[in-house]
Amino acid sequence: MLSKKFSSRDEVLAVITLIMVIGSLTLAVIDEKSRPQFLDLTKFAIGTYIELLIPRLRSSDRN
């Protein structure tokens, strides 16, 4: 059911975002001096992913 709603492109984007978030948070734990930058990178990755999904969800609701 979930695979019908999301295309393979969205799944790849979700996996890349997940890897980026996990990597950034891991580096934030390791390097305390650069922690704010890694947390900003994490916020950016999540925000970008959400922004890319919203227009697709709205356009599919209209159909």
Side-chain angles (χ1 to χ4, degrees), residues 8-22:
S8 62
R9 180 179 175 203
D10 292 336
E11 291 172 3
V12 170
L13 181 61
V15 170
I16 290 172
T17 304
L18 182 63
I19 291 170
M20 187 176 187
V21 167
I22 290 171

Side-chain angles (χ1 to χ4, degrees), residues 3-56:
S3 63
K4 291 180 183 178
K5 191 172 184 176
F6 295 107
S7 67
S8 62
R9 180 179 175 203
D10 292 336
E11 291 172 3
V12 170
L13 181 61
V15 170
I16 290 172
T17 304
L18 182 63
I19 291 170
M20 187 176 187
V21 167
I22 290 171
S24 295
L25 292 176
T26 302
L27 291 172
V29 169
I30 293 171
D31 187 8
E32 293 179 8
K33 293 180 182 177
S34 300
R35 189 170 286 170
Q37 289 82 10
F38 289 125
L39 294 177
D40 286 341
L41 182 62
T42 302
K43 288 188 275 187
F44 175 76
I46 293 171
T48 302
Y49 178 70
I50 291 171
E51 182 67 27
L52 288 172
L53 284 180
I54 288 173
R56 291 184 193 150

